[in-house]
Amino acid sequence: MKIAAIATIADSVPLHGENRVIASLGLNALRSTVNPGLKALLELAHLDGRPLTSEEVAFRIAPRINAAGRMDIAADVIDLFTLKDPTRAREVAARLDKLNGDRQEEERRIVDAIEKRITEDSALRDSFCMVIDGEGWHRGVIGITATRVVERYGRPAIVISRDGEEAHGSGRSISVFHLLNALESCPTLFTRYGGHAHAVGFSLPSSRVAEFRASVEAYARARLKVDDFEPVLNVDAELALDSITPELFAALQKLEPFGAGNHEPVFCARAARLSAPMKILKEKHVRMKLSPSQANGGNAGWRRALTYNSMGWRLAERAQREKLLPGDLLDIAFNLGHNDHPEFGGIELSLRDFKSLEKASAHGTT
């Protein structure tokens, strides 16, 4: 049940019916893991001894498991779950952790190269379907780098790794653009291809990459508008920061597990005040301390004095570009989470987006 729950969440299977039951029972059972390999993996990720959330499985367990297939061979995962010797299991778990670190470093290297290319190439920057190729990029990582490009630019993106005369590509798309149909508009270019509306993979001769780029760009321009590239974040409810309580958080936990088909509620709060200098973590994340608005609605009294820690995953560059300072007011979109750190744990906001009220040029929709 535990392994089935991890697989269900990692594969983004819709959490309906029996899938939801499998995920829920498996997540709760993970607090008492006896399999040596799984136990070692949870210990290494600092997730042992308690029930897990679907988010923790998706972002802290699944990447370590997937790293074997992306960076090396998947046999290590089979070994991990079949070994009976705890010492050997810890060794394999450590190897998977290192492979995941290697994957992150390779992803960072490719993303940096892509960012440089986009900055220098105005035609690429203005394309309706971004096709970026590079020599020797790791094939196991190009899919996730395509995802990063889509997240940043809001456009379909295809990343191609050239290896001599052969090239391999992986693409990700936005909701309004069927990426597989785009490939099927030029099928003779490929030696093989497949996928679905939002993700594709393919191989083709390196000599035909330029032809492919022109073909898919023409296809995209015939079907997309500039407005399609504007990111939209759907918000479930407005929630003033001084209305957040432990009781509300406990009620939301009853809706777990979250994932495909059962999304985590997204809230918005208006005019939240940045109450301390923001902190940049690992060059890509930002931590902020936010307090309730003193001007708009909400509860009176002591709850107005509360300050909430918030984490903006991959929002550091935007926050730095906005030059946010203590006292600035932000409209924010967020999920409610919990930090288990013994010193500064408690309810924590996971920022999905923000808009500075002092700077009308803020990017994104809340």
Side-chain angles (χ1 to χ4, degrees):
M1 186 65 74
K2 303 178 184 72
I3 303 298
I6 292 172
T8 299
I9 294 166
D11 263 356
S12 298
V13 175
L15 296 182
H16 299 152
E18 63 185 12
N19 290 334
R20 182 168 170 78
V21 174
I22 290 170
S24 181
L25 293 176
L27 286 171
N28 189 58
L30 282 168
R31 75 165 78 190
S32 56
T33 298
V34 294
N35 179 282
L38 185 53
K39 186 177 178 65
L41 194 62
L42 293 175
E43 289 174 352
L44 191 144
H46 306 292
L47 294 174
D48 53 313
R50 62 176 177 82
L52 271 63
T53 67
S54 54
E55 182 178 33
E56 288 170 329
V57 168
F59 291 101
R60 296 171 66 179
I61 297 300
R64 289 177 165 91
I65 295 174
N66 288 336
R70 291 184 187 277
M71 303 301 294
D72 194 14
I73 57 173
D76 279 345
V77 178
I78 298 174
D79 290 342
L80 181 74
F81 293 137
T82 55
L83 285 169
K84 302 301 182 184
D85 178 11
T87 300
R88 285 280 296 116
R90 284 192 291 271
E91 291 173 355
V92 174
R95 187 156 62 246
L96 291 178
D97 188 59
K98 182 182 183 303
L99 285 173
N100 190 48
D102 294 343
R103 188 270 306 170
Q104 292 172 328
E105 184 58 36
E106 179 67 5
E107 175 191 335
R108 189 177 302 111
R109 185 181 73 84
I110 297 174
V111 168
D112 288 346
I114 289 173
E115 291 289 347
K116 185 174 186 294
R117 188 92 54 86
I118 293 173
T119 299
E120 296 173 348
D121 187 342
S122 60
L124 177 59
R125 193 164 57 247
D126 296 334
S127 61
F128 278 39
C129 182
M130 291 180 161
V131 179
I132 313 104
D133 63 295
E135 185 69 36
W137 287 349
H138 199 295
R139 290 169 55 186
V141 182
I142 56 176
I144 196 167
T145 56
T147 298
R148 300 292 176 239
V149 177
V150 175
E151 290 172 347
R152 180 174 176 83
Y153 296 97
R155 301 174 185 231
I158 297 171
V159 178
I160 299 174
S161 172
R162 287 182 282 103
D163 183 12
E165 296 182 354
E166 188 175 21
H168 304 273
S170 185
R172 301 293 183 268
S173 193
I174 56 178
S175 61
V176 296
F177 188 67
H178 198 298
L179 199 52
L180 181 57
N181 285 350
L183 266 60
E184 290 181 334
S185 71
C186 51
T188 59
L189 295 179
F190 308 107
T191 53
R192 59 179 181 175
Y193 71 93
H196 51 79
H198 299 128
V200 297
F202 58 88
S203 300
L204 79 170
S206 294
S207 60
R208 308 202 76 173
V209 168
E211 186 181 353
F212 168 68
R213 179 183 289 108
S215 178
V216 77
E217 176 68 10
Y219 183 92
R221 284 188 176 272
R223 290 160 177 80
L224 292 172
K225 310 180 299 294
V226 173
D227 290 349
D228 292 326
F229 306 141
E230 184 66 26
V232 175
L233 176 63
N234 294 317
V235 172
D236 295 292
E238 186 168 346
L239 178 65
L241 295 190
D242 51 357
S243 296
I244 297 173
T245 64
E247 291 76 18
L248 172 62
F249 179 69
L252 292 173
Q253 284 185 298
K254 296 182 184 299
L255 303 177
E256 282 266 16
F258 299 120
N262 184 44
H263 75 267
E264 187 174 2
V266 179
F267 301 102
C268 71
R270 302 185 186 278
R273 183 177 298 275
L274 184 62
S275 58
M278 61 185 183
K279 295 182 179 180
I280 304 301
L281 306 176
K282 297 183 178 179
E283 300 181 352
K284 56 185 177 181
H285 312 307
V286 60
R287 182 183 292 279
M288 302 182 189
K289 288 186 177 293
L290 298 171
S291 56
S293 167
Q294 301 297 310
N296 302 324
N299 295 314
W302 64 270
R303 299 199 66 82
R304 288 284 184 90
L306 290 175
T307 297
Y308 286 98
N309 287 325
S310 63
M311 276 297 301
W313 304 103
R314 301 187 181 278
L315 289 177
E317 184 178 350
R318 267 194 59 206
Q320 290 175 306
R321 190 167 64 242
E322 298 271 346
K323 298 180 180 179
L324 299 178
L325 298 172
D328 283 354
L329 300 180
L330 307 173
D331 284 349
I332 60 172
F334 61 94
N335 308 117
L336 274 184
H338 193 277
N339 188 323
D340 294 317
H341 194 280
E343 296 180 10
F344 49 81
I347 293 176
E348 183 174 84
L349 313 184
S350 181
L351 291 183
R352 300 287 300 277
D353 202 358
F354 67 86
K355 179 171 64 177
S356 171
L357 302 189
E358 309 298 329
K359 306 172 181 66
S361 62
H363 165 80
T365 300
T366 57

